[in-house]
Amino acid sequence: MSVTQQQVLDSLGGVASPRGVPLTNANVLSAISVTDGKVFFSINVDAAEARAWESVRAQAEAAVRAIPGVTAAMIALTAERKPGSPSPAPAPHRHAHSHSPGVQPVAAHRPPQGAASPMSKQAEIPGVAAVIAVASGKGGVGKSTTALNLALGLRDLGLRVGLLDADIYGPSVPRLTGINEKPQLDDNRKMIPIQRFGLSIMSIGFLVEENTAMIWRGPMVMSAITQMLRDVAWGTLDILVVDMPPGTGDAQLTLAQNVPLKGAVIISTPQDLSLIDARRGLAMFRKVNVPVLGIVENMSYFQCPECGTRSDIFGHGGARHEAERLGVPFLGEIPLHMSIRTTSDDGNPVVASEPDGPHAAIYRAIGTRVRDQLQGAIAAA
């Protein structure tokens, strides 16, 4: 059954804003994309109102999912502070009959700015030729270790490389790099990335203690990622590698909406469960028109350091077969090996600590395949 934009609008007409206005009359909806039963749009509100709109976003998603023929719904709550507006102060105590805290009256809603695409706010990061995402559908597949060593492999090819740890809830890069210092601010009040191993590195983990639990709602995560993209003095880079959190949520959508990604690298392990989640991640990037540069099979096999016997602990060739089936490049397989694990735990990644070893060669080979697909973007910068 084909789903139409009008059906989506009709369903959203039954969802009320925090001021009781039908969502379709609140002037907060972006253009609605409907493709093969998949619905995507954003609700755009002022940052001061974000918390009050969270439940509205959830109601809108539930209403859209209830439409016959809808197979997936991705609805983002985009919160932006109006230029020149101060940071919101704590709301004073209100009586039960007063308006919801932080919600402006109906007349204050901004008029629609035309049928803009959710991707219409994309803008290049000055000085950065190409931004790529390293992603996985699930956690525990070695994505952050791969992202860091891939960045180092690209560095070894003579490129100027940055690494952004966008995993707000579980930043790994501080431990993987051994960095325990906080970034300084330049004269323009932008954060200066930490320089380590010839990379420009930024992570939310540089700003909070390692054991701090980041109990943040979606709008706060989206704001943090936007700040680390825009409020960091990245300088001149050929490639900015973004280590994404696992899954297909707010962080991925924020990145895709903020910058024109030149591609995504999907990390998986050989077993079926990981491949199912990798498939979802790949589908998400395709949905938002981000080229998939390829799939990497991590923990591909175990080679005994004593006898040299190879053991396919998690199966063999699953990611390669999946790449062939989906028509995307297979970038390479990385073994499950003690030196990769120990160097990562020690904050001295294997490409930097054992540059002439076999594992560094594997990461450089993967980096070469990624670089070759980005040559046009890099050369044009």
Side-chain angles (χ1 to χ4, degrees), residues 30-33 40-42 116-122 256-258:
S30 73
I32 296 173
S33 170
F40 175 79
F41 62 92
S42 63
S117 162
M119 303 300 160
S120 63
K121 296 176 183 177
Q122 286 182 337
Q257 290 177 339
N258 258 279

Side-chain angles (χ1 to χ4, degrees), residues 25 54 78 113 150 153 160 191 205 267 286 288 300 309 322:
N25 294 335
E54 266 291 330
T78 305
Q113 302 298 314
L150 171 61
R160 295 162 295 185
M191 289 182 288
I267 310 299
R286 282 181 164 172
V288 293
S300 182
T309 301
E322 191 67 20

Side-chain angles (χ1 to χ4, degrees), residues 194-365:
I194 306 296
Q195 299 295 317
R196 188 67 54 91
F197 309 119
L199 303 176
S200 298
I201 305 174
M202 179 56 62
S203 169
I204 192 72
F206 297 159
L207 307 175
V208 299
E209 296 300 322
E210 186 176 56
N211 296 326
T212 300
M214 305 298 286
I215 308 173
W216 285 4
R217 294 182 180 273
M220 297 174 72
V221 172
M222 296 159 71
S223 175
I225 291 175
T226 300
Q227 283 188 298
M228 289 196 295
L229 287 168
R230 301 291 177 193
D231 293 342
V232 172
W234 288 110
T236 302
L237 298 177
D238 295 306
I239 299 177
L240 176 60
V241 177
V242 182
D243 176 21
M244 299 299 300
T248 55
D250 287 330
Q252 287 78 7
L253 289 174
T254 298
L255 184 65
Q257 290 177 339
N258 258 279
V259 296
L261 288 171
K262 296 300 188 291
V265 175
I266 307 296
I267 310 299
S268 180
T269 55
Q271 74 256 48
D272 291 342
L273 185 60
S274 179
L275 290 168
I276 291 170
D277 291 310
R279 205 173 298 142
R280 293 192 185 104
L282 189 149
M284 188 274 298
F285 282 112
R286 282 181 164 172
K287 175 65 180 175
V288 293
N289 299 317
V290 174
V292 177
L293 301 174
I295 298 177
V296 173
E297 184 174 272
N298 196 32
M299 308 183 207
S300 182
Y301 58 89
F302 172 73
Q303 193 159 12
C304 176
E306 300 297 331
C307 65
T309 301
R310 170 171 169 155
S311 299
D312 297 317
I313 296 175
F314 300 119
H316 175 64
R320 182 187 295 273
H321 296 151
E322 191 67 20
E324 292 172 354
R325 190 182 74 81
L326 296 172
V328 299
F330 180 68
L331 297 175
E333 53 185 32
I334 301 167
L336 177 65
H337 197 277
M338 186 73 74
S339 65
I340 297 177
R341 196 273 300 169
T342 55
T343 56
S344 296
D345 286 349
D346 292 341
N348 196 16
V350 71
V351 174
S353 58
E354 302 175 14
D356 298 324
H359 305 120
I362 292 172
Y363 286 112
R364 278 194 291 270

Side-chain angles (χ1 to χ4, degrees), residues 25-39:
N25 294 335
N27 298 331
V28 294
L29 297 179
S30 73
I32 296 173
S33 170
V34 182
T35 307
D36 298 329
K38 300 178 179 64
V39 180

